[in-house]
Amino acid sequence: MKVTLFATCLVDMFQGEVGKAVVEVLERLGCDIDFPENQICCGQPAYNSGYVQDSKNAMKKMITAFEHAQYVVSPSGSCAYMFKEYPEVFKGDPIWEPKAQALAAKTYEFTEFIVDILQIEDVGAHLEGKATFHTSCHMTRLLGVKEAPMKLLGNVKGLQYVELPGKDRCCGFGGTFSVKMGNISGEMVNEKVQNVEETEADILIGADAGCLINIGGRIERQGKPIKVMHIAEVLNCR
């Protein structure tokens, strides 16, 4: 099966190991991975800030970059959902709306692709530890991916799972929200870290780089002994 990786800006610039883990897991599951080097930002920061027209050029570049793909897989529910927004952005455009619809239809979040398309719930991962999972807002509320991560984590040998209190609450990142509303964002991530501490987990797992960078940064600044891992890294443990 041919899979085209949509790495996302944050993975490309800050979390390269997450991208590598995604590739290694999917290759072990029999996928042939393709990486378009002309992929750029999906346009989400500008789009969410209200600059819809300005974001269209980036969107068109992404549509073109992934036009050849059979399946597009991303380690970020937030960015994967942005591709789902493209048809609405280009609604009524005779050239770009059909292309946007085609891209949206073949785009999947990483865990969603493994469980729903590959029909695999146990990837043979093994990680000793006590872990909790942060459910990111875009992935669960907009993309609708809720069960896939839990099914995969439930089959990781040696991993003890503890549910995170207030798991449905935003961590405070929210893309440009964390920049525009820094004080509010700071309080939100403080609450999230407190909830993680309540679980007494050794590992915080998530499926969206933005959330993990935000929460992980606060954990590090507070000197908490909690390891932060993307779910792709967990599933890549042997």
Side-chain angles (χ1 to χ4, degrees), residues 56 60 87-100:
K56 283 187 175 181
K60 288 178 180 179
E88 183 62 29
V89 175
F90 291 102
K91 189 172 183 178
D93 189 310
I95 297 175
W96 291 100
E97 184 181 2
K99 292 184 177 184

Side-chain angles (χ1 to χ4, degrees), residues 64-80:
T64 301
F66 291 93
E67 200 163 14
H68 70 286
Q70 179 184 8
Y71 292 99
V72 177
V73 174
S74 174
S76 166
S78 176
C79 296

Side-chain angles (χ1 to χ4, degrees), residues 25 29 114-115 119-126 148 151-157 235 238:
V25 170
L29 298 179
I114 294 175
V115 173
Q119 296 287 295
I120 296 172
E121 295 185 5
D122 188 344
V123 301
H126 184 177
K151 288 178 180 179
L152 291 165
L153 289 177
N155 286 308
V156 176
K157 308 299 185 294
L235 298 179
R238 309 292 286 175

Side-chain angles (χ1 to χ4, degrees), residues 87-231:
E88 183 62 29
V89 175
F90 291 102
K91 189 172 183 178
D93 189 310
I95 297 175
W96 291 100
E97 184 181 2
K99 292 184 177 184
Q101 289 173 340
L103 177 58
K106 62 186 178 184
T107 297
Y108 297 88
E109 182 273 332
F110 173 66
T111 64
E112 175 190 27
F113 180 76
I114 294 175
V115 173
D116 294 348
I117 303 302
L118 297 182
Q119 296 287 295
I120 296 172
E121 295 185 5
D122 188 344
V123 301
H126 184 177
L127 177 63
E128 297 289 338
K130 185 177 182 180
T132 192
F133 183 79
H134 165 68
T135 57
S136 59
C137 299
H138 277 79
M139 183 166 162
T140 55
R141 297 175 188 175
L142 297 179
L143 196 60
V145 178
K146 301 176 182 179
E147 300 300 325
M150 307 318 301
K151 288 178 180 179
L152 291 165
L153 289 177
N155 286 308
V156 176
K157 308 299 185 294
L159 194 67
Q160 178 188 353
Y161 175 74
V162 182
E163 188 162 294
L164 181 64
K167 65 179 183 179
D168 59 334
R169 297 178 188 173
C170 176
C171 71
F173 179 65
T176 55
F177 172 81
S178 60
V179 177
K180 294 178 179 178
M181 303 289 182
N183 291 336
I184 298 174
S185 173
E187 292 302 315
M188 292 170 73
V189 75
N190 279 336
E191 180 186 56
K192 183 65 67 172
V193 173
Q194 290 172 6
N195 290 343
V196 173
E197 280 191 290
E198 286 180 27
T199 68
E200 299 182 346
D202 309 306
I203 308 166
L204 170 65
I205 303 169
D208 203 305
C211 298
L212 292 179
I213 289 174
N214 186 41
I215 304 169
R218 186 53 56 98
I219 286 174
E220 184 177 356
R221 286 192 291 275
Q222 293 182 357
K224 309 293 184 183
I226 302 168
K227 186 174 183 179
V228 178
M229 299 180 72
H230 190 280
I231 192 168

